[in-house]
Amino acid sequence: MTNSTIVVPQPSSSSSDVHAASKAVRRAVDYSYGKQRADGHWCAELESNCTITSEYVLMCQALGVDLASKREGLVQYLFEHQNDDGSWGIAHDVDGDVSTTAECYLALRILGIATADAGLERAASFILTHGGLEKMRVFTRIFFALFGLFPWDSVPVLPPELILLPASSPVNIYAFASWARGTIVPLLVLFHHKPLYALPNGKHAENDWLDHLWRNPHDKHVPYAPPLGGILREHKVSAKSVISLGYKAVLGYETLTGGLFSPVRKRAVQACVDWVLEHQEPSGDWAGIFPPMVNGVLALHAHGYALDSDPMRRGLEAIERFTMTDADGVRVEACQSPVWDTCLTMIGLLDCEAGDARLSAPRQWMTKLQILDDHGDWKVYNTKGRPGGWSFEYANTWYPDVDDTAAVVMALLKQDPSSAKSDVVRRAIEWIVSMQNEDGGWAAFDRKNDKLFLNDIPFSDMDSLCDPSTPDIVGRILEALGILGDRRYEAACARGIAYLRKNQEPEGSWFGRWGVNYVYGTSNVLCGLMHHGFRASDPMIGRALGWLKSVQNADGGWGEHVNSYADRNLMGRGTSTASQTAWGLMGLLAFLPPEDPSVQRGIAWLVSRQTDEGTWNEKEFTGTGFPKYFYLRYHMYRHYFPLMALGRYVRALRAS
């Protein structure tokens, strides 16, 4: 549906509808405050797939960390998430894959589960049916190589000398996205040392412990990329073929020299180690996410740091804080989301006009976490900006992000409009504006991080080595700037709006990089544009509203499967979920009256599915780490987004 004209219906809400929605709001508000922590903030589980927990097991095996007390819980968690066909997948209702299944299989074997176990037999059958361990992706190959289960010469690597390239070079560590950078630099140390760790059957450079999972265990030298000739035939002279040629040259350098005795190599490896140490937080964290943390401790250990050395001890303690133990077993989070959960819960409560003295503590808690340290990788390509942002996590001063910062600003302004003149908000807004890209958009963590050709190197198998501008983030920033209402930032807003006009999909939607997917992106954009003088009659707005209405499910809700990242035919299509229904509603409510039939049906879906506790159930993954490859289930998405939608609906009804 792409009609630009939206027909405004006559009011149709009954007093019973209003009463039901208001009752749902009160129950949701009570649930929210019931989950508030002692110091005022909120933080719920951030669930990912089983590779994170499996890699935790592999790290402990490599370093000799005793898992006896966690063994039963780890086994329980992994088996409870196994699919019926024996596989493990990257999200709920997503087919399993060889890499995820292989990592879970190896972790369970390390935990003492025998190959004859029925669950492992089904897993082995799945792996062999789908090509064997030969089909493992890059990061799984790396973990297996650490134990001699995969040859290092078949692992796509990057040389440590990469860290010596200046930021002005087309390829350098700061050309990679923050999450990739924090993961790659410690890997450069591992690629140099190529450590070998023991498994329960001993330490072997060519370990046969999992040979039964190979199609051909006698030839494990499986190239990850096709031969250069094949690439040239398929892509001719193109960016991909040039990148592949350059990568082949890098591999040739490694093969011929190994860099082992080169003074340059020695300096490069030490520079990598120094970078890792510099980027470690006092708490021990690296970037607040699991991959840089596990790679950080493995790299330092390979370089000679003992387990009881200060950086290793702090790093391992930080990783342990990511572990969770409850009735569902023992598992490890990929990240923790306290700032995000706190500011979005505050926004939900304030949208419901339920802000009271209980919001003083979270405001103070967030304010104290504003990052004013004059360091951070963002400064490499933003030399003029002053710090003032927030990060997503408890401890991550090196990587504040504009999405969290905009959401915090919105929470502060909604609670106290006079804070627009405060130093806290001023510093935050100035930092956000300084991070605007040349295309008018904003990315999450960096400026000018848009060298997409890097995704063509064989090392990149998730298409996520860069952090370019995305509409969902631009929408949130426009919402924050619109609520602020400071005319000094009109030029920045105009550039952001121009970016959105240029990047609207033909169907009328916008892409959602950090939430699934087009429903999320479209909702964010509409919620932002409503503060900048737009009306439903604007063709851009009309097409977006029309698209949202066209993908509303028959049951009144909205849903979108994670596979929409790979298949445009699934755009806006999927089982209705609480979070996605809320996004659809907020997008419509930005420009349509609460009496609109689509709004009424969406509200009815939320009201009818609220639990006795006052919240909603949602097993689907509606958060995005890396599109197509890594998804997240925020356990509070099912609550604070419906809280926002219901609050805005009730307020709109009262206003009308």
Side-chain angles (χ1 to χ4, degrees):
M1 183 174 180
T2 57
N3 294 335
S4 61
T5 301
I6 298 296
V7 177
V8 178
Q10 295 301 309
S12 59
S13 299
S14 67
S15 59
S16 61
D17 294 332
V18 177
H19 175 74
S22 299
K23 182 179 179 182
V25 165
R26 289 194 296 271
R27 296 169 67 200
V29 166
D30 289 342
Y31 180 90
S32 300
Y33 279 122
K35 295 297 181 181
Q36 190 174 20
R37 300 199 179 190
D39 62 359
H41 84 284
W42 284 268
C43 186
E45 181 176 355
L46 181 52
E47 181 182 347
S48 59
N49 65 65
C50 291
T51 60
I52 301 299
T53 297
S54 296
E55 289 169 7
Y56 168 78
V57 173
L58 304 188
M59 178 203 74
C60 290
Q61 174 68 23
L63 301 180
V65 176
D66 184 24
L67 286 175
S69 64
K70 297 186 178 75
R71 179 192 175 280
E72 183 177 350
L74 290 164
V75 170
Q76 174 192 343
Y77 168 76
L78 290 173
F79 272 136
E80 285 185 355
H81 286 77
Q82 187 178 24
N83 296 327
D84 291 340
D85 64 0
S87 69
W88 281 266
I90 59 174
H92 169 75
D93 196 26
V94 174
D95 291 340
D97 64 273
V98 169
S99 285
T100 306
T101 304
E103 291 190 26
C104 293
Y105 186 101
L106 176 56
L108 286 165
R109 288 289 290 119
I110 288 171
L111 291 168
I113 304 302
T115 56
D117 176 87
L120 289 193
E121 285 188 338
R122 288 187 291 116
S125 176
F126 175 88
I127 291 171
L128 290 169
T129 301
H130 290 78
L133 296 185
E134 290 92 330
K135 297 297 183 180
M136 292 189 298
R137 303 182 71 84
V138 168
F139 290 103
T140 306
R141 291 186 177 208
I142 293 170
F143 272 103
F144 275 50
L146 293 174
F147 298 100
L149 296 169
F150 201 92
W152 275 109
D153 61 10
S154 292
V155 176
V157 300
L158 295 169
E161 287 81 0
L162 175 65
I163 200 166
L164 301 179
L165 296 177
S168 58
S169 173
V171 179
N172 69 88
I173 60 167
Y174 296 103
F176 295 105
S178 61
W179 56 85
R181 186 184 319 134
T183 300
I184 287 172
V185 174
L187 282 179
L188 299 179
V189 179
L190 287 175
F191 291 157
H192 168 73
H193 288 292
K194 296 181 174 61
L196 179 65
Y197 297 109
L199 286 169
N201 72 332
K203 182 189 294 187
H204 307 286
E206 296 182 9
N207 202 312
D208 63 1
W209 207 42
L210 298 186
D211 274 10
H212 56 288
L213 300 181
W214 288 81
R215 286 279 188 89
N216 181 10
H218 304 295
D219 183 11
K220 299 179 181 179
H221 298 274
V222 183
Y224 197 76
L228 182 59
I231 295 175
L232 288 171
R233 283 192 297 273
E234 181 178 355
H235 298 279
K236 310 303 180 188
V237 178
S238 63
K240 185 174 184 66
S241 59
V242 171
I243 289 292
S244 297
L245 179 61
Y247 188 75
K248 292 288 185 181
V250 169
L251 293 182
Y253 166 79
E254 283 289 302
T255 301
L256 291 175
T257 70
L260 296 177
F261 306 104
S262 165
V264 175
R265 169 58 60 94
K266 183 177 180 180
R267 182 163 67 93
V269 172
Q270 189 58 51
C272 290
V273 172
D274 292 344
W275 191 95
V276 170
L277 292 172
E278 181 185 21
H279 283 73
Q280 187 177 30
E281 300 286 343
S283 60
D285 298 72
W286 280 282
I289 52 179
F290 182 80
M293 292 167 72
V294 68
N295 289 336
V297 296
L298 289 172
L300 292 179
H301 186 262
H303 199 66
Y305 282 79
L307 291 184
D308 59 356
S309 64
D310 180 66
M312 287 289 290
R313 177 186 54 79
R314 288 186 292 116
L316 290 171
E317 289 174 354
I319 292 172
E320 285 301 317
R321 289 194 292 271
F322 278 32
T323 62
M324 299 186 67
T325 304
D326 57 21
D328 296 324
V330 178
R331 57 201 177 278
V332 182
E333 293 179 281
C335 186
Q336 294 174 327
S337 53
V339 173
W340 191 240
D341 285 346
T342 298
C343 64
L344 293 180
T345 301
M346 284 185 65
I347 289 171
L349 290 167
L350 293 163
D351 284 347
C352 294
E353 299 180 327
D356 56 31
R358 289 172 290 184
L359 292 190
S360 296
R363 182 187 184 97
Q364 294 172 6
W365 182 87
M366 288 195 306
T367 300
K368 291 177 181 177
L369 287 180
Q370 187 175 27
I371 299 171
L372 302 177
D373 307 73
D374 196 23
H375 69 229
D377 286 2
W378 60 271
K379 292 175 63 67
V380 173
Y381 293 120
N382 181 2
T383 57
K384 296 181 180 179
R386 289 203 309 156
W390 278 266
S391 64
F392 184 80
E393 306 89 352
Y394 287 108
N396 182 13
T397 62
W398 283 87
Y399 300 106
D401 69 274
V402 297
D403 207 9
D404 273 272
T405 303
V408 170
V409 167
M410 287 163 55
L412 297 178
L413 292 174
K414 283 178 179 251
Q415 186 190 22
D416 179 11
S418 69
S419 63
K421 299 179 180 179
S422 68
D423 286 342
V424 171
V425 170
R426 178 180 55 81
R427 289 287 296 269
I429 291 295
E430 288 177 355
W431 181 72
I432 289 174
V433 172
S434 78
M435 294 292 287
Q436 189 170 26
N437 282 322
E438 294 176 358
D439 62 5
W442 280 268
F445 295 94
D446 286 298
R447 290 188 71 240
K448 301 181 180 180
N449 199 272
D450 55 0
K451 295 181 173 62
L452 300 182
F453 66 82
L454 292 172
N455 286 325
D456 287 328
I457 65 175
F459 178 81
S460 170
D461 65 352
M462 292 188 181
D463 297 330
S464 297
L465 288 185
C466 299
D467 184 18
S469 299
T470 60
D472 50 332
I473 291 180
V474 175
R476 193 173 327 273
I477 291 171
L478 289 177
E479 186 175 5
L481 291 173
I483 293 172
L484 178 70
D486 191 325
R487 297 189 63 181
R488 288 177 295 176
Y489 304 113
E490 286 182 350
C493 292
R495 294 176 61 214
I497 292 168
Y499 167 87
L500 293 176
R501 285 194 183 277
K502 183 178 180 180
N503 286 277
Q504 188 175 24
E505 301 292 334
E507 296 84 353
S509 63
W510 280 277
F511 177 71
R513 165 63 180 83
W514 296 98
V516 183
N517 171 353
Y518 296 96
V519 173
Y520 178 78
T522 304
S523 177
N524 278 16
V525 169
L526 290 174
C527 288
L529 292 177
M530 71 174 288
H531 295 282
H532 295 274
F534 285 88
R535 297 291 181 266
S537 58
D538 182 283
M540 175 173 64
I541 303 300
R543 289 195 301 123
L545 295 172
W547 178 81
L548 272 179
K549 287 193 167 194
S550 75
V551 298
Q552 187 174 20
N553 287 329
D555 63 7
W558 278 266
E560 186 169 1
H561 197 278
V562 296
N563 287 344
S564 66
Y565 283 106
D567 183 356
R568 286 180 65 88
N569 292 321
L570 297 177
M571 180 187 290
R573 303 296 180 183
T575 302
S576 296
T577 70
S579 59
Q580 291 167 324
T581 296
W583 297 338
L585 281 166
M586 288 190 286
L588 295 183
L589 285 167
F591 289 95
L592 299 180
E595 299 86 359
D596 181 274
S598 290
V599 172
Q600 290 290 308
R601 292 170 57 222
I603 291 295
W605 190 96
L606 286 178
V607 170
S608 67
R609 287 161 176 79
Q610 190 177 33
T611 69
D612 292 340
E613 289 182 295
T615 188
W616 290 262
N617 293 319
E618 182 172 289
K619 60 183 179 296
E620 290 80 6
F621 284 51
T622 60
T624 308
F626 306 129
K628 296 190 288 185
Y629 298 106
F630 193 83
Y631 299 107
L632 299 164
R633 180 178 171 230
Y634 292 78
H635 283 214
M636 284 193 75
Y637 269 23
R638 61 185 170 85
H639 187 78
Y640 47 60
F641 285 118
L643 185 68
M644 293 179 201
L646 286 167
R648 295 178 192 188
Y649 168 74
V650 171
R651 289 173 65 185
L653 277 178
R654 291 173 180 168
S656 66

